[in-house]
Amino acid sequence: NTLFQFGKHGKPTTPSVPISDALMRLIGYYVAEGHATERYWIISSASEEIIEDFQKTLTTMGLPYFHRKESYDYQISSQLWSTLLTRLCGRLSQIKRLPPFWPQLTQHHLAQLLSAYFSCDGGVDGDEVTATTASKSLASDLAWALLRFGIVARIKKRMIRLPNKDVRAPYWCVRISGKQFLEIFQKEIGFVLIQKNIRLSEIIKKTYNTNVDVIPLNGGWLHDMRIKLLLLQKDIAKTAEVERSYIS
């Protein structure tokens, strides 16, 4: 129920902070848009809704902050919290991750964390909810966390050109598609931003292909094994209790 660490004699070395909706959203914002140094940490956002939300959280936690001029950066000068967030979630975008205690969170608190993250780093892309990250570990964490809600997400690797550089770097896109999974995301997680929630409602109302590879089997491998075992497609379909077309 609380977030803290213990020292050599069993005493907390950081303040005991109740696990709350606001704190989980703050961590979600940090994972998506945060950056930490040794003495302070920063959250960047141009969204008034997100800014208002994390400002309330910081005030509740008694953490002073200030807005850097001519930027979207909000700096929190706390070496203790900077160190804590770095250890929990990583410092640079390439090594970001969900905090290691996320499997211990209640469904509700995990939803708050994911909602904040997808509100910043994700959104509605075509007929999918997507989020793109430079961290392979974070993409994996997100996919596992979504599975807690029964949402099967897909991860696609993309090579993206870095700003002002003539080089490409690997990024991972977490994709949620299919009406079933989008409805679960809307009901259980959703966005902090009103406009993104409206866009999500719009694509759920549409009719489109809901095909999702629940088990990412290699089609060529499956075909070769079936031939070697002298099995017909209908044999596998009968055992799996699905139509033959699924095996095809």
Side-chain angles (χ1 to χ4, degrees), residues 152-190:
V152 179
R154 290 177 289 179
I155 300 175
K156 182 177 181 180
K157 182 180 178 181
R158 300 174 58 190
M159 298 301 294
I160 297 179
R161 191 171 187 173
L162 299 179
N164 304 319
K165 295 182 180 179
D166 193 22
V167 294
R168 293 179 180 272
Y171 280 74
W172 285 265
C173 182
V174 180
R175 303 161 60 192
I176 304 171
S177 62
K179 188 173 182 178
Q180 173 190 356
F181 298 139
L182 291 173
E183 286 181 338
I184 295 174
F185 183 88
Q186 181 187 49
K187 180 180 179 181
E188 302 292 338
I189 300 173

Side-chain angles (χ1 to χ4, degrees), residues 10 28-29 52-53 62 67 69 92 105 130 136 139 156 173 232:
Y29 294 143
E52 182 180 359
D53 190 31
H67 180 204
K69 293 182 179 179
L92 303 175
L105 293 173
T130 66
K136 186 176 182 180
K156 182 177 181 180
C173 182
L232 300 175

